[in-house]
Amino acid sequence: MIDPWSSAIVNYEKLIEEFGIKPFHDLLGDLEDPHILMRRGIVFGHRDYGRIVKAIREKTNFAVVTGMMPSGKMHIGHKMIVDQLIWYQEKGAEIYIPIADMESYSARGIDFPEAKNIAIEEYITNYIALGLDPDDKNLHIYLTSENKIVTDLAYKLAKRVNMNEMKAIYGFSGSTNIAHIYAPMIQVADILHPQLEECGGPKPTVVPVGPDQDPHIRLTRDIAERFQSQFKFITPSSTYHRFITGLTGGKMSSSKPKTAIFLSDSPDVALKKLKSAKTGGRESLAEQKKMGGVPEDCVIYEMLLYHLLPSDSQLKEIHQQCREGSIMCGECKAHAAERMKDFFKDLKKKREKAKNKARTILDDELN
Ligand code: SF4
């Protein structure tokens, strides 16, 4: 069982084997210009993504849904979702970004006004600063508690879901509060509502997620099929990306500040954090020169891979130099730190600019 509210690290190969997630690389050749995260294997799996490939190639209508639960600060690992959204926006997708304020209330005890504030100041500001076009008419950002289409649909869909099923999927017990038990139904409705007639009717829909969110995807796909004759839903597709490793090893998590570089960190703080990160270097320089480092076990290399180095050839070169011991961690870290500082300097300016737009975007969506 995978618990979407815990932070356990997931064994990716096991997911592919046991839960029927398909390897993403099989589809790479079908995309004209796959996203860098797809090309580099960070987006590693999918369910029914062929429908989305077809829609992109034929330039037909499709939707992307990816929610955010406003419960803390955004860290650099969260940037992966925004990067993918920008790519989908360029492909003409309808983009839906539900802000799961009902879930943060039921699962984390955060009040609605506070959740709204976190969503605006933290998430929406960063999404815009990272490059999502807020003026795209196909972009819909909304609070789930204020979207009546979604809450009504959740209630209708819940008619055909029972408690045994929720227990089996999520491990809910007799002491789980009812609001928490109901919260996944809101997510199911978030994912399926773009296919309602009032939102343009049935269309392929993809949900890019981390593998910890797969229980929601499986439940949604099952429910879409149960209601197929009533709503003509096309079973939603999904993609799965690897998590970024935290600065101390393990998973990067907003609730463990020592593991994370936050997008709101100053360039100097971000730089300092990166310099303290765990590397795949050896005990001594002599040993590293002789045996080489282990880039696969290095947070610095991962930062370059996921975020900081767009050139595949330069990345390959660093990988090779590391493996053969011709580059030492000090030099390599300094290189990554320069890039990190530039990125954070630029982001800081863009965050300032994005703030005003972020404050109005939720009101615009409702009007
Ligand atoms: Fe990581 Fe660079 Fe050291 Fe290799 S040389 S282990 S990539 S920091």
Side-chain angles (χ1 to χ4, degrees):
M1 183 184 296
I2 308 168
D3 176 357
W5 294 283
S6 91
S7 58
I9 289 274
V10 170
N11 179 331
Y12 303 110
E13 283 69 31
K14 208 169 170 190
L15 264 180
I16 288 187
E17 275 169 31
E18 285 186 14
F19 289 96
I21 291 173
K22 299 275 185 293
F24 197 88
H25 58 73
D26 291 353
L27 286 176
L28 267 187
D30 298 337
L31 284 163
E32 214 175 287
D33 61 336
H35 189 276
I36 188 168
L37 296 172
M38 298 170 175
R39 224 172 55 219
R40 292 184 173 180
I42 296 157
V43 174
F44 69 92
H46 75 96
R47 290 187 195 274
D48 283 338
Y49 196 73
R51 288 190 191 118
I52 305 301
V53 173
K54 189 165 182 278
I56 292 174
R57 288 172 71 107
E58 294 175 0
K59 299 194 188 320
T60 52
N61 209 7
F62 73 103
V64 184
V65 182
T66 179
M68 56 171 105
M69 181 165 77
S71 63
K73 288 201 217 174
M74 255 182 102
H75 60 62
I76 195 156
H78 294 129
K79 174 176 171 287
M80 265 186 281
I81 280 287
V82 190
D83 291 342
Q84 293 177 69
L85 285 178
I86 294 165
W87 184 81
Y88 282 120
Q89 201 168 41
E90 285 161 5
K91 303 273 168 277
E94 272 179 43
I95 296 187
Y96 291 83
I97 305 179
I99 298 164
D101 57 344
M102 296 171 81
E103 189 186 9
S104 62
Y105 173 76
S106 62
R108 299 274 190 267
I110 296 174
D111 281 340
F112 289 90
E114 192 191 341
K116 183 174 180 178
N117 204 34
I118 297 172
I120 293 170
E121 301 291 326
E122 195 52 39
Y123 289 77
I124 301 175
T125 300
N126 278 316
Y127 276 43
I128 298 171
L130 289 168
L132 194 71
D133 176 3
D135 298 316
D136 182 343
K137 64 174 181 16
N138 285 330
L139 174 67
H140 310 278
I141 305 183
Y142 61 88
L143 290 158
T144 49
S145 65
E146 292 181 2
N147 189 324
K148 194 158 161 33
I149 295 178
V150 168
T151 50
D152 283 358
L153 179 63
Y155 196 77
K156 283 181 197 157
L157 301 178
K159 176 84 167 80
R160 289 201 210 160
V161 182
N162 66 38
M163 192 58 205
N164 287 339
E165 194 175 4
M166 296 304 264
K167 274 187 188 165
I169 297 173
Y170 297 105
F172 291 143
S173 69
S175 62
T176 310
N177 73 70
I178 304 283
H180 191 174
I181 293 168
Y182 189 67
M185 293 311 304
I186 300 284
Q187 298 205 10
V188 172
D190 280 326
I191 296 169
L192 294 178
H193 89 281
Q195 299 199 49
L196 294 178
E197 285 309 322
E198 55 265 57
C199 297
K203 58 179 80 62
T205 302
V206 60
V207 193
V209 288
D212 57 338
Q213 299 303 307
D214 194 47
H216 297 316
I217 301 294
R218 280 181 276 135
L219 177 66
T220 308
R221 285 166 57 88
D222 277 357
I223 293 176
E225 278 161 28
R226 272 171 231 175
F227 283 85
Q228 212 282 335
S229 60
Q230 188 176 345
F231 294 108
K232 311 276 178 284
F233 289 136
I234 297 171
T235 308
S237 313
S238 50
T239 62
Y240 302 87
H241 53 257
R242 292 172 186 269
F243 294 118
I244 197 161
T245 309
L247 300 176
T248 51
K251 189 182 163 190
M252 189 174 285
S253 163
S254 299
S255 60
K256 295 181 193 142
K258 282 200 176 137
T259 66
I261 298 179
F262 296 111
L263 295 178
S264 54
D265 281 341
S266 71
D268 285 337
V269 168
L271 182 109
K272 211 169 140 198
K273 284 185 176 174
L274 187 76
K275 284 191 167 168
S276 73
K278 181 181 164 289
T279 73
R282 305 286 178 180
E283 295 276 305
S284 69
L285 284 182
E287 203 180 317
Q288 188 153 346
K289 275 185 190 154
K290 194 170 156 213
M291 300 170 67
V294 188
E296 293 77 13
D297 195 19
C298 176
V299 174
I300 303 292
Y301 184 77
E302 217 177 67
M303 286 288 174
L304 294 168
L305 176 76
Y306 281 55
H307 297 298
L308 298 176
L309 195 52
S311 157
D312 287 349
S313 58
Q314 283 180 25
L315 188 74
K316 223 170 159 184
E317 201 182 327
I318 291 180
H319 189 272
Q320 196 180 339
Q321 288 174 333
C322 173
R323 293 307 295 254
E324 66 193 22
S326 62
I327 189 173
M328 297 296 108
C329 293
E331 187 192 336
C332 191
K333 264 188 176 180
H335 171 228
E338 265 318 299
R339 287 181 175 272
M340 182 68 105
K341 196 168 179 180
D342 289 347
F343 169 75
F344 270 84
K345 268 190 191 163
D346 186 49
L347 184 66
K348 193 170 180 238
K349 277 191 225 144
K350 288 180 174 159
R351 277 171 55 88
E352 281 309 312
K353 272 199 200 154
K355 272 181 184 166
N356 282 342
K357 185 68 192 177
R359 284 189 194 113
T360 58
I361 206 164
L362 289 175
D363 301 331
D364 292 350
E365 180 65 24
L366 281 178
N367 294 330

